[in-house]
Amino acid sequence: MVLGGPVGADQDDLYPFLSGEREALRTRLAAGAPTLGICLDAQLMAAALGARVAPGLGKEIGWAPVALTDRGRAGPLRHLEGVPVLHWHGDAFDLPPGAERLAATPLCPNQAFALGRHGLGFQFHPEADGQGFERWLIGHAVEIAAMPGVSVPALRDDARRLGPGAAEAARRCLGEWLGGLA
């Protein structure tokens, strides 16, 4: 499992570790090793598989549901249907060759993808449960201040209200995905 971070997937000049992480992901995925990527690391997975990663149509910051595809509703992501999850990204990825789209939003058509049974990438944050959310608010204060219509009090309130339900849905989703690997 590889998690996200507040850097761009193509910023190797600033963060040289990114090229090594892409190579490690390429090797794992080619070997069929179970791999779960969230946010930045879903972008790195997509890039490792040959897909383009670039700025999206706009930044998504806040809690909102994703629209599941038929394939998304037929698998573990069905537990997330209608559940607001945390979005926090400005970049997006094209669907990698051989992958199946599982979820989308109007600003980001590739919110989740599967590569066979072994690879799962989320642009959104299924791991976000509202606990420790204050660190996100502090660490991204400048980014939040630059987003029209996004406020720290509203994000905090949404995390408190929506985080526990999102966490439970994500536990069911990820538990089912992990169980299918055995």
Side-chain angles (χ1 to χ4, degrees), residues 8 92 113:
F113 70 89

Side-chain angles (χ1 to χ4, degrees), residues 68-110:
L68 299 179
T69 64
D70 289 343
R71 171 73 166 85
R73 281 189 292 282
L77 270 73
R78 73 179 177 285
H79 299 289
L80 300 173
E81 180 117 46
V83 176
V85 293
L86 181 63
H87 300 269
W88 205 300
H89 63 94
D91 290 344
F93 51 83
D94 290 343
L95 189 65
E100 293 183 83
R101 179 180 294 113
L102 302 176
T105 59
L107 282 180
C108 186
N110 297 311

Side-chain angles (χ1 to χ4, degrees), residues 79-169:
H79 299 289
L80 300 173
E81 180 117 46
V83 176
V85 293
L86 181 63
H87 300 269
W88 205 300
H89 63 94
D91 290 344
F93 51 83
D94 290 343
L95 189 65
E100 293 183 83
R101 179 180 294 113
L102 302 176
T105 59
L107 282 180
C108 186
N110 297 311
Q111 281 284 350
F113 70 89
L115 183 67
R117 291 178 53 201
H118 66 284
L120 185 59
F122 292 102
Q123 180 63 68
F124 59 92
H125 290 270
E127 84 286 6
D129 60 5
Q131 295 188 20
F133 192 68
E134 198 67 24
R135 288 188 306 258
W136 292 61
L137 299 176
I138 294 167
H140 296 276
V142 172
E143 184 179 24
I144 295 168
M147 289 286 300
V150 177
S151 75
V152 168
L155 288 168
R156 184 181 291 125
D157 182 55
D158 286 348
R160 188 175 23 258
R161 286 183 312 103
L162 303 171
E168 180 55 35

Side-chain angles (χ1 to χ4, degrees), residues 2 9 12 18-33 35 41 43-51 115 118:
V2 284
D12 294 37
L18 292 170
S19 62
E21 188 158 345
R22 268 192 312 281
E23 186 55 38
L25 287 165
R26 186 177 298 112
T27 300
R28 281 190 65 78
L29 293 166
T35 306
D41 282 298
Q43 295 168 13
L44 290 170
M45 284 173 66
L49 294 166
L115 183 67
H118 66 284

Side-chain angles (χ1 to χ4, degrees), residues 41-65:
D41 282 298
Q43 295 168 13
L44 290 170
M45 284 173 66
L49 294 166
R52 182 182 71 93
V53 180
L57 297 174
K59 283 191 176 192
E60 285 185 302
I61 296 179
W63 297 79

